[in-house]
mmCIF file of all heavy atoms in Angstrom:
data_model
loop_
_atom_site.group_PDB
_atom_site.id
_atom_site.type_symbol
_atom_site.label_atom_id
_atom_site.label_comp_id
_atom_site.label_asym_id
_atom_site.label_seq_id
_atom_site.Cartn_x
_atom_site.Cartn_y
_atom_site.Cartn_z
ATOM 1 N N GLU A 1 0.822 -1.205 0.000
ATOM 2 C CA GLU A 1 0.000 0.000 0.000
ATOM 3 C C GLU A 1 0.857 1.257 0.000
ATOM 4 O O GLU A 1 0.491 2.264 -0.621
ATOM 5 C CB GLU A 1 -0.933 -0.006 1.210
ATOM 6 C CG GLU A 1 -2.033 -1.036 1.120
ATOM 7 C CD GLU A 1 -2.910 -0.836 -0.104
ATOM 8 O OE1 GLU A 1 -3.230 0.332 -0.400
ATOM 9 O OE2 GLU A 1 -3.262 -1.834 -0.760
ATOM 10 N N ALA A 2 2.002 1.209 0.687
ATOM 11 C CA ALA A 2 2.895 2.370 0.708
ATOM 12 C C ALA A 2 3.437 2.662 -0.693
ATOM 13 O O ALA A 2 3.537 3.832 -1.099
ATOM 14 C CB ALA A 2 4.042 2.130 1.688
ATOM 15 N N ILE A 3 3.764 1.623 -1.448
ATOM 16 C CA ILE A 3 4.280 1.811 -2.814
ATOM 17 C C ILE A 3 3.183 2.353 -3.722
ATOM 18 O O ILE A 3 3.408 3.294 -4.498
ATOM 19 C CB ILE A 3 4.844 0.483 -3.354
ATOM 20 C CG1 ILE A 3 6.101 0.090 -2.585
ATOM 21 C CG2 ILE A 3 5.142 0.598 -4.846
ATOM 22 C CD1 ILE A 3 6.672 -1.255 -2.996
ATOM 23 N N TYR A 4 1.978 1.800 -3.622
ATOM 24 C CA TYR A 4 0.887 2.275 -4.470
ATOM 25 C C TYR A 4 0.524 3.722 -4.136
ATOM 26 O O TYR A 4 0.220 4.520 -5.035
ATOM 27 C CB TYR A 4 -0.339 1.378 -4.310
ATOM 28 C CG TYR A 4 -0.188 0.026 -4.981
ATOM 29 C CD1 TYR A 4 -0.811 -1.108 -4.475
ATOM 30 C CD2 TYR A 4 0.572 -0.115 -6.141
ATOM 31 C CE1 TYR A 4 -0.679 -2.339 -5.098
ATOM 32 C CE2 TYR A 4 0.717 -1.327 -6.754
ATOM 33 C CZ TYR A 4 0.086 -2.451 -6.235
ATOM 34 O OH TYR A 4 0.229 -3.664 -6.859
ATOM 35 N N ASN A 5 0.551 4.073 -2.884
ATOM 36 C CA ASN A 5 0.250 5.453 -2.495
ATOM 37 C C ASN A 5 1.352 6.413 -2.940
ATOM 38 O O ASN A 5 1.089 7.584 -3.234
ATOM 39 C CB ASN A 5 0.051 5.543 -0.990
ATOM 40 C CG ASN A 5 -1.193 4.790 -0.529
ATOM 41 O OD1 ASN A 5 -2.139 4.616 -1.296
ATOM 42 N ND2 ASN A 5 -1.188 4.334 0.710
ATOM 43 N N LYS A 6 2.574 5.924 -2.990
ATOM 44 C CA LYS A 6 3.705 6.762 -3.397
ATOM 45 C C LYS A 6 3.564 7.228 -4.845
ATOM 46 O O LYS A 6 3.927 8.363 -5.189
ATOM 47 C CB LYS A 6 5.014 5.981 -3.209
ATOM 48 C CG LYS A 6 6.269 6.732 -3.603
ATOM 49 C CD LYS A 6 7.501 5.879 -3.360
ATOM 50 C CE LYS A 6 8.784 6.602 -3.767
ATOM 51 N NZ LYS A 6 9.990 5.749 -3.537
ATOM 52 N N TYR A 7 3.023 6.353 -5.697
ATOM 53 C CA TYR A 7 2.897 6.663 -7.130
ATOM 54 C C TYR A 7 1.431 6.878 -7.530
ATOM 55 O O TYR A 7 1.089 6.774 -8.712
ATOM 56 C CB TYR A 7 3.485 5.527 -7.969
ATOM 57 C CG TYR A 7 4.944 5.248 -7.691
ATOM 58 C CD1 TYR A 7 5.328 4.235 -6.816
ATOM 59 C CD2 TYR A 7 5.940 6.010 -8.283
ATOM 60 C CE1 TYR A 7 6.660 3.980 -6.554
ATOM 61 C CE2 TYR A 7 7.273 5.762 -8.037
ATOM 62 C CZ TYR A 7 7.631 4.745 -7.161
ATOM 63 O OH TYR A 7 8.955 4.503 -6.900
ATOM 64 N N GLN A 8 0.581 7.190 -6.572
ATOM 65 C CA GLN A 8 -0.842 7.339 -6.842
ATOM 66 C C GLN A 8 -1.139 8.474 -7.813
ATOM 67 O O GLN A 8 -2.117 8.440 -8.562
ATOM 68 C CB GLN A 8 -1.601 7.549 -5.538
ATOM 69 C CG GLN A 8 -3.112 7.576 -5.679
ATOM 70 C CD GLN A 8 -3.674 6.289 -6.236
ATOM 71 O OE1 GLN A 8 -3.117 5.200 -5.998
ATOM 72 N NE2 GLN A 8 -4.757 6.381 -7.003
ATOM 73 N N GLU A 9 -0.295 9.500 -7.844
ATOM 74 C CA GLU A 9 -0.553 10.650 -8.711
ATOM 75 C C GLU A 9 -0.497 10.289 -10.188
ATOM 76 O O GLU A 9 -1.046 11.012 -11.033
ATOM 77 C CB GLU A 9 0.465 11.754 -8.418
ATOM 78 C CG GLU A 9 1.914 11.329 -8.656
ATOM 79 C CD GLU A 9 2.891 12.458 -8.415
ATOM 80 O OE1 GLU A 9 2.720 13.517 -9.052
ATOM 81 O OE2 GLU A 9 3.812 12.281 -7.599
ATOM 82 N N PHE A 10 0.147 9.181 -10.530
ATOM 83 C CA PHE A 10 0.262 8.770 -11.929
ATOM 84 C C PHE A 10 -0.813 7.770 -12.327
ATOM 85 O O PHE A 10 -0.864 7.379 -13.498
ATOM 86 C CB PHE A 10 1.635 8.145 -12.190
ATOM 87 C CG PHE A 10 2.798 9.042 -11.836
ATOM 88 C CD1 PHE A 10 3.513 8.839 -10.671
ATOM 89 C CD2 PHE A 10 3.156 10.089 -12.661
ATOM 90 C CE1 PHE A 10 4.575 9.652 -10.342
ATOM 91 C CE2 PHE A 10 4.215 10.917 -12.344
ATOM 92 C CZ PHE A 10 4.926 10.703 -11.180
ATOM 93 N N ALA A 11 -1.654 7.345 -11.391
ATOM 94 C CA ALA A 11 -2.652 6.317 -11.682
ATOM 95 C C ALA A 11 -3.719 6.860 -12.628
ATOM 96 O O ALA A 11 -4.176 7.990 -12.491
ATOM 97 C CB ALA A 11 -3.292 5.822 -10.387
ATOM 98 N N ILE A 12 -4.090 6.046 -13.597
ATOM 99 C CA ILE A 12 -5.151 6.365 -14.549
ATOM 100 C C ILE A 12 -6.067 5.149 -14.636
ATOM 101 O O ILE A 12 -5.703 4.049 -14.200
ATOM 102 C CB ILE A 12 -4.588 6.722 -15.942
ATOM 103 C CG1 ILE A 12 -3.780 5.551 -16.512
ATOM 104 C CG2 ILE A 12 -3.726 7.974 -15.874
ATOM 105 C CD1 ILE A 12 -3.282 5.792 -17.920
ATOM 106 N N PRO A 13 -7.280 5.299 -15.195
ATOM 107 C CA PRO A 13 -8.171 4.135 -15.321
ATOM 108 C C PRO A 13 -7.525 3.004 -16.113
ATOM 109 O O PRO A 13 -6.724 3.225 -17.021
ATOM 110 C CB PRO A 13 -9.392 4.709 -16.042
ATOM 111 C CG PRO A 13 -9.373 6.173 -15.735
ATOM 112 C CD PRO A 13 -7.933 6.547 -15.631
ATOM 113 N N GLU A 14 -7.893 1.800 -15.750
ATOM 114 C CA GLU A 14 -7.309 0.627 -16.408
ATOM 115 C C GLU A 14 -7.625 0.615 -17.899
ATOM 116 O O GLU A 14 -6.800 0.162 -18.713
ATOM 117 C CB GLU A 14 -7.838 -0.645 -15.740
ATOM 118 C CG GLU A 14 -7.264 -1.925 -16.317
ATOM 119 C CD GLU A 14 -7.792 -3.162 -15.620
ATOM 120 O OE1 GLU A 14 -8.467 -3.002 -14.579
ATOM 121 O OE2 GLU A 14 -7.538 -4.277 -16.126
ATOM 122 N N GLU A 15 -8.819 1.119 -18.280
ATOM 123 C CA GLU A 15 -9.190 1.131 -19.697
ATOM 124 C C GLU A 15 -8.239 1.995 -20.522
ATOM 125 O O GLU A 15 -8.015 1.717 -21.704
ATOM 126 C CB GLU A 15 -10.624 1.639 -19.870
ATOM 127 C CG GLU A 15 -11.682 0.740 -19.244
ATOM 128 C CD GLU A 15 -11.739 0.873 -17.731
ATOM 129 O OE1 GLU A 15 -11.121 1.843 -17.221
ATOM 130 O OE2 GLU A 15 -12.359 0.032 -17.070
ATOM 131 N N GLU A 16 -7.691 3.042 -19.928
ATOM 132 C CA GLU A 16 -6.729 3.882 -20.638
ATOM 133 C C GLU A 16 -5.318 3.323 -20.546
ATOM 134 O O GLU A 16 -4.539 3.426 -21.495
ATOM 135 C CB GLU A 16 -6.762 5.304 -20.066
ATOM 136 C CG GLU A 16 -8.077 6.027 -20.261
ATOM 137 C CD GLU A 16 -8.018 7.458 -19.762
ATOM 138 O OE1 GLU A 16 -6.895 7.963 -19.562
ATOM 139 O OE2 GLU A 16 -9.080 8.065 -19.548
ATOM 140 N N ALA A 17 -4.973 2.750 -19.398
ATOM 141 C CA ALA A 17 -3.619 2.230 -19.216
ATOM 142 C C ALA A 17 -3.309 1.103 -20.194
ATOM 143 O O ALA A 17 -2.150 0.920 -20.596
ATOM 144 C CB ALA A 17 -3.438 1.748 -17.779
ATOM 145 N N GLU A 18 -4.331 0.338 -20.593
ATOM 146 C CA GLU A 18 -4.108 -0.773 -21.516
ATOM 147 C C GLU A 18 -3.610 -0.319 -22.884
ATOM 148 O O GLU A 18 -3.008 -1.110 -23.617
ATOM 149 C CB GLU A 18 -5.400 -1.574 -21.689
ATOM 150 C CG GLU A 18 -5.840 -2.335 -20.450
ATOM 151 C CD GLU A 18 -7.137 -3.079 -20.674
ATOM 152 O OE1 GLU A 18 -7.806 -2.762 -21.684
ATOM 153 O OE2 GLU A 18 -7.469 -3.956 -19.867
ATOM 154 N N TRP A 19 -3.865 0.938 -23.241
ATOM 155 C CA TRP A 19 -3.521 1.430 -24.579
ATOM 156 C C TRP A 19 -2.264 2.287 -24.586
ATOM 157 O O TRP A 19 -1.800 2.704 -25.664
ATOM 158 C CB TRP A 19 -4.686 2.242 -25.141
ATOM 159 C CG TRP A 19 -5.927 1.436 -25.332
ATOM 160 C CD1 TRP A 19 -6.876 1.153 -24.403
ATOM 161 C CD2 TRP A 19 -6.349 0.781 -26.535
ATOM 162 N NE1 TRP A 19 -7.867 0.378 -24.937
ATOM 163 C CE2 TRP A 19 -7.571 0.143 -26.247
ATOM 164 C CE3 TRP A 19 -5.830 0.708 -27.820
ATOM 165 C CZ2 TRP A 19 -8.268 -0.582 -27.210
ATOM 166 C CZ3 TRP A 19 -6.528 -0.005 -28.780
ATOM 167 C CH2 TRP A 19 -7.727 -0.638 -28.472
ATOM 168 N N VAL A 20 -1.682 2.564 -23.442
ATOM 169 C CA VAL A 20 -0.511 3.448 -23.369
ATOM 170 C C VAL A 20 0.676 2.770 -24.042
ATOM 171 O O VAL A 20 1.006 1.619 -23.752
ATOM 172 C CB VAL A 20 -0.174 3.778 -21.904
ATOM 173 C CG1 VAL A 20 1.161 4.516 -21.820
ATOM 174 C CG2 VAL A 20 -1.278 4.616 -21.281
ATOM 175 N N GLY A 21 1.329 3.490 -24.937
ATOM 176 C CA GLY A 21 2.549 3.001 -25.552
ATOM 177 C C GLY A 21 2.373 2.021 -26.685
ATOM 178 O O GLY A 21 3.367 1.551 -27.253
ATOM 179 N N LEU A 22 1.138 1.697 -27.060
ATOM 180 C CA LEU A 22 0.933 0.765 -28.169
ATOM 181 C C LEU A 22 1.179 1.460 -29.493
ATOM 182 O O LEU A 22 0.771 2.609 -29.693
ATOM 183 C CB LEU A 22 -0.496 0.214 -28.141
ATOM 184 C CG LEU A 22 -0.893 -0.695 -26.971
ATOM 185 C CD1 LEU A 22 -2.331 -1.133 -27.139
ATOM 186 C CD2 LEU A 22 0.017 -1.899 -26.872
ATOM 187 N N SER A 23 1.845 0.763 -30.401
ATOM 188 C CA SER A 23 1.984 1.288 -31.753
ATOM 189 C C SER A 23 0.626 1.186 -32.456
ATOM 190 O O SER A 23 -0.290 0.503 -31.991
ATOM 191 C CB SER A 23 3.038 0.505 -32.530
ATOM 192 O OG SER A 23 2.640 -0.842 -32.686
ATOM 193 N N LEU A 24 0.493 1.860 -33.595
ATOM 194 C CA LEU A 24 -0.784 1.839 -34.313
ATOM 195 C C LEU A 24 -1.134 0.428 -34.747
ATOM 196 O O LEU A 24 -2.306 0.024 -34.679
ATOM 197 C CB LEU A 24 -0.708 2.776 -35.520
ATOM 198 C CG LEU A 24 -2.005 2.926 -36.331
ATOM 199 C CD1 LEU A 24 -3.140 3.423 -35.430
ATOM 200 C CD2 LEU A 24 -1.807 3.874 -37.500
ATOM 201 N N GLU A 25 -0.150 -0.344 -35.177
ATOM 202 C CA GLU A 25 -0.424 -1.722 -35.600
ATOM 203 C C GLU A 25 -0.895 -2.563 -34.409
ATOM 204 O O GLU A 25 -1.822 -3.376 -34.535
ATOM 205 C CB GLU A 25 0.834 -2.337 -36.216
ATOM 206 C CG GLU A 25 1.212 -1.769 -37.572
ATOM 207 C CD GLU A 25 1.790 -0.364 -37.482
ATOM 208 O OE1 GLU A 25 2.199 0.021 -36.357
ATOM 209 O OE2 GLU A 25 1.814 0.343 -38.501
ATOM 210 N N GLU A 26 -0.264 -2.380 -33.247
ATOM 211 C CA GLU A 26 -0.690 -3.129 -32.062
ATOM 212 C C GLU A 26 -2.088 -2.714 -31.621
ATOM 213 O O GLU A 26 -2.893 -3.550 -31.197
ATOM 214 C CB GLU A 26 0.314 -2.906 -30.931
ATOM 215 C CG GLU A 26 1.685 -3.509 -31.184
ATOM 216 C CD GLU A 26 2.690 -3.138 -30.119
ATOM 217 O OE1 GLU A 26 2.471 -2.127 -29.419
ATOM 218 O OE2 GLU A 26 3.692 -3.855 -29.980
ATOM 219 N N ALA A 27 -2.381 -1.412 -31.703
ATOM 220 C CA ALA A 27 -3.710 -0.937 -31.306
ATOM 221 C C ALA A 27 -4.789 -1.470 -32.249
ATOM 222 O O ALA A 27 -5.883 -1.843 -31.801
ATOM 223 C CB ALA A 27 -3.729 0.588 -31.293
ATOM 224 N N ILE A 28 -4.500 -1.530 -33.548
ATOM 225 C CA ILE A 28 -5.475 -2.063 -34.506
ATOM 226 C C ILE A 28 -5.742 -3.536 -34.214
ATOM 227 O O ILE A 28 -6.892 -4.004 -34.245
ATOM 228 C CB ILE A 28 -4.968 -1.853 -35.943
ATOM 229 C CG1 ILE A 28 -4.988 -0.362 -36.299
ATOM 230 C CG2 ILE A 28 -5.808 -2.645 -36.937
ATOM 231 C CD1 ILE A 28 -4.397 -0.049 -37.654
ATOM 232 N N GLU A 29 -4.692 -4.301 -33.936
ATOM 233 C CA GLU A 29 -4.879 -5.714 -33.630
ATOM 234 C C GLU A 29 -5.664 -5.901 -32.337
ATOM 235 O O GLU A 29 -6.531 -6.776 -32.244
ATOM 236 C CB GLU A 29 -3.510 -6.404 -33.525
ATOM 237 C CG GLU A 29 -3.566 -7.883 -33.196
ATOM 238 C CD GLU A 29 -4.242 -8.709 -34.275
ATOM 239 O OE1 GLU A 29 -4.384 -8.210 -35.411
ATOM 240 O OE2 GLU A 29 -4.635 -9.854 -33.973
ATOM 241 N N LYS A 30 -5.396 -5.057 -31.337
ATOM 242 C CA LYS A 30 -6.136 -5.137 -30.085
ATOM 243 C C LYS A 30 -7.618 -4.816 -30.306
ATOM 244 O O LYS A 30 -8.499 -5.508 -29.774
ATOM 245 C CB LYS A 30 -5.533 -4.167 -29.074
ATOM 246 C CG LYS A 30 -6.187 -4.166 -27.691
ATOM 247 C CD LYS A 30 -5.503 -3.185 -26.767
ATOM 248 C CE LYS A 30 -6.166 -3.164 -25.404
ATOM 249 N NZ LYS A 30 -6.011 -4.444 -24.684
ATOM 250 N N GLN A 31 -7.893 -3.780 -31.093
ATOM 251 C CA GLN A 31 -9.280 -3.425 -31.390
ATOM 252 C C GLN A 31 -9.972 -4.525 -32.192
ATOM 253 O O GLN A 31 -11.158 -4.821 -31.969
ATOM 254 C CB GLN A 31 -9.324 -2.104 -32.157
ATOM 255 C CG GLN A 31 -10.708 -1.578 -32.463
ATOM 256 C CD GLN A 31 -11.449 -1.151 -31.216
ATOM 257 O OE1 GLN A 31 -10.846 -0.878 -30.194
ATOM 258 N NE2 GLN A 31 -12.771 -1.074 -31.311
#
């Protein structure tokens, strides 16, 4: 819990985190 609270300011919804850093080809395949 201490580690998660330490970096809590960077937390975003899981639906958005799944797409971070994907190339366009990877995103198309995921979609």
Side-chain angles (χ1 to χ4, degrees):
E1 290 301 318
I3 292 176
Y4 287 149
N5 294 334
K6 180 179 179 181
Y7 301 97
Q8 186 61 32
E9 60 178 304
F10 304 103
I12 60 176
E14 182 179 351
E15 296 76 13
E16 296 184 16
E18 292 179 345
W19 297 85
V20 171
L22 293 180
S23 63
L24 183 58
E25 289 73 17
E26 293 174 339
I28 291 175
E29 180 64 17
K30 182 179 179 66
Q31 183 68 21

